[in-house]
Amino acid sequence: MTVGKRHLEGHRVARVGWLRAAVLGANDGIVSTASLVLGIAAASGGRGDILLAGSAGLVAGAMSMAAGEYVSVSSQSDTERGELARERIELAGDIDAERAELAAIYMRRGVDRDTAQKVAVQMMAQDALGAHARDELGISELTTARPLQAALTSAATFTGGAALPLMTVILTPVAQLIPIVAIASLLFLALLGTLGAVAGGANIGRATGRVAFWGALAMALTAGIGRIVGTSV
Ligand SMILES: [Zn+2]
């Protein structure tokens, strides 16, 4: 549901929700698919095995991302809805106490008693539930959770991310597969980290380094396991 109206054009906060889901999805897609590909390649699998494992990983990962995001964002949205319902009951029950509660919140933020009471009265005259949702519960239009949007964003960006190492496998000779997929995937990850940092207005070096570090670690581990398991079976 929509609580109050805010104009946040030009502010980056408004983009952080879907941006977080998008970067996370693409990042997971690249890391998990590249790791799978390297694991199978290190176990001396052929291009067919590698593509099969990578494609299965793409579908499984996209579904798991979508389900995970849907469940987690839904429970957040249930919590918000529950809190709003309780607030609505409180407002219907004792409007004076609610007005005093809101005024007290403004006073804690540094507004003097007289002004705080006036602000509380005027805000509640216009949209009592909206004022309590924002200033008491911290729920605004901006933070209102959208489960389906989050699920679709994650699944789509995971698929986009996973497609990059898979395309690299198709275009690379099998003999050079391991170093080329590893390097290309690290470059994709670094690029993604940079894009995310630029769009979110964060520090580029730190974001890029973080993403590349975890990607390198995941690929090294799965390649190592592929080597060990592949030579022992
Ligand atoms: Zn209240």
Side-chain angles (χ1 to χ4, degrees):
M1 81 172 276
T2 309
V3 180
K5 282 213 161 59
R6 274 191 170 186
H7 295 281
L8 282 153
E9 289 87 356
H11 285 258
R12 281 168 166 156
V13 188
R15 278 188 284 178
V16 163
W18 73 259
L19 183 72
R20 185 197 63 87
V23 169
L24 194 71
N27 186 78
D28 270 20
I30 297 171
V31 171
S32 68
T33 310
S35 299
L36 257 176
V37 162
L38 290 176
I40 306 285
S44 56
R47 197 196 299 272
D49 297 330
I50 294 169
L51 282 175
L52 179 64
S55 313
L58 183 153
V59 176
M63 286 315 297
S64 132
M65 288 288 292
E69 277 293 304
Y70 190 84
V71 169
S72 103
V73 178
S74 290
S75 73
Q76 189 193 330
S77 135
D78 287 348
T79 309
E80 288 185 357
R81 230 192 314 262
E83 291 198 344
L84 285 174
R86 219 180 52 201
E87 195 61 41
R88 208 175 279 122
I89 292 169
E90 286 176 8
L91 282 166
D94 190 349
I95 192 96
D96 289 331
E98 288 298 307
R99 212 174 275 131
E101 181 188 46
L102 198 60
I105 289 168
Y106 298 139
M107 280 162 66
R108 270 204 298 282
R109 293 183 192 164
V111 178
D112 68 69
R113 177 181 296 274
D114 210 38
T115 314
Q117 277 165 352
K118 277 187 196 147
V119 172
V121 167
Q122 291 182 18
M123 289 263 221
M124 286 175 65
Q126 210 203 9
D127 178 10
L129 184 63
H132 281 258
R134 274 192 315 272
D135 294 331
E136 184 190 348
L137 306 174
I139 301 172
S140 68
E141 192 179 7
L142 187 67
T143 57
T144 300
R146 293 181 186 82
L148 199 60
Q149 190 190 36
L152 291 177
T153 305
S154 300
T157 53
F158 182 96
T159 304
L164 293 171
L166 282 182
M167 293 287 283
T168 313
V169 170
I170 293 169
L171 299 172
T172 308
V174 178
Q176 279 96 53
L177 211 63
I178 292 179
I180 291 182
V181 169
I183 291 166
S185 300
L186 283 176
L187 286 177
F188 295 142
L189 284 171
L191 187 68
L192 182 70
T194 307
L195 281 177
V198 169
N203 181 294
I204 293 176
R206 206 178 313 146
T208 307
R210 199 160 45 203
V211 165
F213 168 78
W214 287 104
L217 186 64
M219 286 189 273
L221 279 175
T222 26
I225 288 171
R227 173 70 35 94
I228 294 164
V229 175
T231 48
S232 67
V233 290

